[in-house]
Amino acid sequence: MKPAAFSYHRPASVDEALDLLARHGADAKPIAGGQSLVPMMNLRLASPAHLVDLNDLSELGRIRLQGDRLEVGALARHRAVAESPLVREHCPLLAQGARTIGHYAIRERGTLGGSLAHADPAAQHALVAVTLGAQLTLARRGARRVVDAGDFLLSAMTTALAPDEMVLSASYPRAAAGEVSAFRMFNQRHGDFAIVAVAATLALEGGRVASLRLGVGGAAPVPQRLDAVASGFLGLAPGAAWIAAVARAARDAVAPEDHPRVPAAYRKELTETLVARALARCVEKSEAAA
Ligand SMILES: Cc1cc2nc3c(=O)[nH]c(=O)nc-3n(C[C@H](O)[C@H](O)[C@H](O)COP(=O)(O)OP(=O)(O)OC[C@H]3O[C@@H](n4cnc5c(N)ncnc54)[C@H](O)[C@@H]3O)c2cc1C
């Protein structure tokens, strides 16, 4: 099937893009990599009368350090995020997530902003953003606002974006000295969205857990950060029993919905397994760095 007819706009500046969105409101949609929007248009699940193409706004592809945070522009492609030396050094979890997205062709075109705005419950970028406490800068004509990732992602495929608003960038806290991270996911076939994905960061002090962040994607309409689980396991030595106990607690903390092809019990089991694998990898990295 082919999309319904639309007008195509190719703004040369962010201001021009925001003017177009303000003028056409809910009849317009930005298009970035097109990897989600074009299939939706072809299936007539989306029929915007106006497409506002962001691809000439090269300033939105920038990746840079801003004080103690790493700022990634909305137009940064998944491959650029995965391979950026700045991301790998200062926010390795983000690079680890980005390199597992879809297939090569999708990583070449798909963008950070497009993925966050699309808000798939199992998307890598949404999970990493929630796990790390990313802040998104949104803009509409004449106004900007900063929103926490957890407040931006409202439900499956639903965000806090107004129709005339776009994502400019996301900023992530830089990894603390000694902090390690791991991303683990399970999908049915290579390149598919995860059934469940897990993101973790860990820092040790004197062989004991000083900080732990755990995020789970695919087990609820939006990614969850399991702070209550993580806080119960600080100050302990991260041996095999610790890993198994955290993984069991994570399994108990998620409440996925039953799906005809993916029972809730299966997602819970995957959560336990993937948390255990992610933490084992974090511990391995911490020991190697010690
Ligand atoms: C076969 C296949 C497999 C895939 N596998 C995965 C996977 O494993 N994991 C994963 O996370 N993703 C996967 N994807 C999706 C892919 O990551 C997309 O690139 C991403 O979801 C959307 O990014 P995009 O730049 O292509 O956005 P587009 O398709 O251009 O747009 C998507 C939505 O975001 C909006 N939008 C785009 N940019 C902005 C902006 N700056 N501000 C506001 N709104 C904006 C659009 O209006 C649209 O509503 C897959 C896609 C395909 C086709």
Side-chain angles (χ1 to χ4, degrees):
M1 226 161 129
K2 292 294 165 209
F6 57 86
S7 301
Y8 176 77
H9 307 267
R10 194 153 179 133
S13 68
V14 170
D15 283 348
E16 197 186 328
L18 295 176
D19 272 346
L20 285 160
L21 293 177
R23 197 171 335 136
H24 298 295
D27 291 335
K29 267 200 168 298
I31 182 163
Q35 300 301 300
S36 297
L37 184 55
V38 170
M40 288 181 71
M41 289 173 66
N42 286 343
L43 293 168
R44 307 276 173 120
L45 294 171
S47 302
H50 298 270
L51 270 192
V52 179
D53 190 336
L54 307 181
N55 281 282
D56 281 348
L57 311 181
S58 50
E59 74 209 75
L60 295 186
R62 205 162 42 190
I63 299 176
R64 60 181 176 174
L65 291 176
Q66 295 278 77
D68 59 355
R69 298 185 76 88
L70 178 80
E71 185 188 84
V72 183
L75 205 60
R77 313 280 169 190
H78 304 327
R79 183 178 68 81
V81 172
E83 294 181 1
S84 156
L86 276 181
V87 177
R88 289 163 77 136
E89 180 178 351
H90 298 286
C91 199
L93 184 64
L94 179 59
Q96 289 155 14
R99 72 167 172 254
T100 68
I101 296 175
H103 305 275
Y104 178 82
I106 286 146
R107 293 193 294 276
E108 282 292 307
R109 294 300 304 161
T111 66
L112 175 77
S115 179
L116 292 171
H118 188 62
D120 190 286
Q124 283 85 340
H125 279 316
L127 172 56
V128 170
V130 167
T131 304
L132 294 181
Q135 294 180 327
L136 277 57
T137 299
L138 313 182
R140 68 197 328 170
R141 189 164 65 187
R144 287 185 183 206
R145 61 180 176 133
V146 175
V147 179
D148 287 339
D151 296 328
F152 176 79
L153 298 161
L154 300 181
S155 185
M157 318 307 234
T158 309
T159 70
L161 273 173
D164 60 347
E165 215 171 19
M166 60 186 245
V167 181
L168 293 187
S169 63
S171 95
Y172 302 81
R174 286 164 71 172
E179 181 181 291
V180 295
S181 58
F183 189 96
R184 288 290 179 272
M185 60 181 269
F186 184 81
N187 53 7
Q188 212 167 13
R189 292 175 312 188
H190 170 73
D192 282 0
F193 277 93
I195 298 175
V196 172
V198 164
T201 72
L202 175 78
L204 305 183
E205 264 174 36
R208 291 180 182 273
V209 178
S211 84
L212 172 64
R213 283 182 289 205
L214 268 183
V216 179
V222 293
Q224 295 163 274
R225 187 165 131 157
L226 304 184
D227 285 346
V229 172
S231 62
F233 291 91
L234 300 176
L236 304 168
W242 180 87
I243 291 175
V246 181
R248 256 193 322 274
R251 172 200 184 112
D252 292 342
V254 297
E257 281 182 14
D258 252 327
H259 180 278
R261 279 181 291 121
V262 189
Y266 182 57
R267 283 193 214 264
K268 282 173 89 68
E269 197 171 318
L270 274 181
T271 301
E272 180 172 357
T273 301
L274 294 171
V275 167
R277 287 182 187 168
L279 291 179
R281 181 68 185 128
C282 284
V283 171
E284 204 176 270
K285 285 183 181 177
S286 292
E287 286 171 355

